[in-house]
Amino acid sequence: MQLVINSHGSFLKKQNNCFLVKNEDKIFEVSEKKVDSILITTSATITTDAIKFAVENNIDIVFLDNFGDPYGRVWHSKLGSTTYIRRRQLEISEGSEGFRLAKGWVEQKVENQILFLKDLKKNRPEQKDELDDYIASMIETKAQLEALEGTLDEMRGKIMGLEGMASRNYFGALSFLLPDKWKFNGRSRNPAKDEFNCLLNYGYGVLYSKVEKACIIAGLDPYVGFNHTDDYNKKSFVFDLIEMYRIHIDRTVFNLFSKKQVMDSFFDTIPNGLTLNKEGKAVLIQAVNETFEKEISYGGRNIKIGNTIQFDCHRIANSLIGK
């Protein structure tokens, strides 16, 4: 699970081989065996004993800004694996193997989106025709993606363009299914213009920290991207990989709306948009944690959704070095 510190003035320390959390509402202990990451989303105090305890137990401490974007991490300084993996990642990033991998990740993202819309269609017969139109457009876009051949230098723009086309249809369909009060007009970020994007952006931030950690453990370089280019200090490879897992946040956020668990009180108005407040963060992160804990069939066995990210990163790393 992800231990979340989201109350202003909270205090985190080590006590009796557990993390002790104090905030304005309560005091509680959490065993290190139950914690994968610690997310700090507000002004808080953490002792050096707690930091050392987290590092010794391979628990990263991630700091998130008001939009859910990670701006810092405390973790051990060891490489996750052999540096040969990083060298191979750099070698193939512009070749045919890199093109195949990068295109495949986007194809998987679009396939995930199509399957989600098909799932939503099952219980909405009155909206079937409109959803069929959205799904048909996305299937056509996916076919165009699959037909692409060449190198990333030649096709990067085409891949990203087709990905954008699929996403516009996808989010258009999700907005269409929401009650009028919650409908939105496409994606918006930093700040979000609407409640759906506000929750979605924060959830993606939480997911980002999880994907980055999985990359590092597997020995992959977060900065050597394939689809996303190497801007200064941009963890491009994390942006590449996260595309396959956004669906878990999409499903979680949409379910909160469909189950009428989203309240106006979750959001604060800021210049040019909205931000998620303490109440909203608590509801979202609990729902995201529950999603990550669910088991799905993966490689012939049942594993938690949150663990599939690490398995995929190890599989990618092993493929780079011929294992």
Side-chain angles (χ1 to χ4, degrees):
M1 63 170 280
Q2 291 177 309
L3 175 61
V4 181
I5 311 297
N6 65 355
S7 295
H8 185 84
S10 294
F11 181 76
L12 177 66
K13 71 173 185 176
K14 176 193 174 189
Q15 180 170 292
N16 300 326
N17 284 323
C18 289
F19 293 106
L20 178 77
V21 182
K22 292 183 183 180
N23 57 40
E24 58 189 18
D25 301 322
K26 57 187 175 180
I27 301 174
F28 60 94
E29 287 186 347
V30 183
S31 168
E32 89 285 356
K33 293 182 175 63
K34 295 182 178 180
V35 179
D36 299 318
S37 296
I38 298 171
L39 304 184
I40 299 179
T41 70
T42 187
S43 299
T45 301
I46 180 169
T47 67
T48 53
D49 277 353
I51 294 172
K52 183 172 182 286
F53 188 50
V55 168
E56 289 172 344
N57 286 279
N58 202 26
I59 298 168
D60 57 335
I61 303 169
V62 181
F63 300 89
L64 305 180
D65 64 18
N66 287 337
F67 304 114
D69 294 324
Y71 64 86
R73 164 182 266 118
V74 177
W75 203 20
H76 61 67
S77 56
K78 304 170 187 174
L79 277 176
S81 188
T82 170
T83 55
Y84 180 48
I85 293 172
R86 295 185 178 210
R87 289 205 304 272
R88 285 286 298 140
Q89 182 182 345
L90 185 61
E91 286 171 5
I92 74 161
S93 60
E94 294 297 334
S96 58
E97 189 176 355
F99 173 76
R100 177 184 58 80
L101 285 171
K103 185 165 74 85
W105 298 331
V106 177
E107 290 169 2
Q108 184 62 60
K109 174 188 179 178
V110 177
E111 178 66 15
N112 291 341
Q113 293 172 335
I114 292 169
L115 290 176
F116 184 32
L117 293 185
K118 287 181 176 179
D119 286 345
L120 292 173
K121 186 179 73 168
K122 292 174 185 175
N123 298 318
R124 294 168 172 82
E126 70 284 359
Q127 295 160 316
K128 176 182 179 299
D129 290 343
E130 292 87 348
L131 285 174
D132 279 340
D133 288 341
Y134 283 115
I135 291 169
S137 294
M138 293 179 67
I139 289 173
E140 181 180 343
T141 301
K142 182 168 179 277
Q144 292 179 50
L145 262 172
E146 291 170 342
L148 291 181
E149 295 182 359
T151 66
L152 273 174
D153 268 351
E154 297 168 342
M155 292 295 172
R156 184 177 285 110
K158 188 70 172 176
I159 291 172
M160 303 294 273
L162 290 170
E163 178 188 9
M165 288 174 56
S167 289
R168 282 190 289 277
N169 277 296
Y170 172 66
F171 286 112
L174 294 185
S175 178
F176 167 73
L177 293 174
L178 291 174
D180 289 344
K181 174 181 173 62
W182 303 119
K183 289 186 186 299
F184 60 97
N185 184 23
R187 290 284 287 124
S188 58
R189 307 169 184 82
N190 298 342
K193 306 296 184 187
D194 55 81
E195 296 82 359
F196 190 89
N197 276 292
C198 195
L199 284 163
L200 201 65
N201 293 345
Y202 206 90
Y204 286 162
V206 173
L207 176 64
Y208 179 95
S209 69
K210 201 170 185 69
V211 174
E212 182 186 5
K213 180 180 179 180
C215 285
I216 296 169
I217 289 174
L220 297 165
D221 192 325
Y223 292 91
V224 180
F226 292 11
N227 277 324
H228 294 84
T229 52
D230 305 327
D231 292 342
Y232 180 72
N233 263 346
K234 181 179 178 181
K235 294 170 184 174
S236 305
F237 194 69
V238 180
F239 285 106
D240 283 348
L241 288 190
I242 198 175
E243 303 298 352
M244 295 188 289
Y245 311 110
R246 291 187 190 274
I247 193 64
H248 303 310
I249 304 300
D250 298 351
R251 285 179 177 267
T252 301
V253 169
F254 191 89
N255 286 342
L256 287 175
F257 281 95
S258 64
K259 293 177 181 178
K260 299 182 179 179
Q261 294 177 352
V262 179
M263 308 294 174
D264 289 327
S265 59
F266 289 1
F267 309 96
D268 292 336
T269 301
I270 60 173
N272 302 314
L274 299 172
T275 186
L276 198 62
N277 60 28
K278 174 187 171 183
E279 182 184 2
K281 290 174 186 176
V283 171
L284 174 63
I285 292 173
Q286 179 181 341
V288 169
N289 275 332
E290 289 171 358
T291 294
F292 287 153
E293 288 295 311
K294 291 177 184 174
E295 290 193 347
I296 59 173
S297 178
Y298 179 95
R301 54 179 172 153
N302 291 334
I303 68 170
K304 293 178 180 178
I305 286 175
N307 292 340
T308 62
I309 301 171
Q310 190 64 70
F311 276 87
D312 283 344
C313 284
H314 281 302
R315 177 176 51 78
I316 293 167
N318 287 335
S319 73
L320 294 180
I321 57 176
K323 288 188 178 180

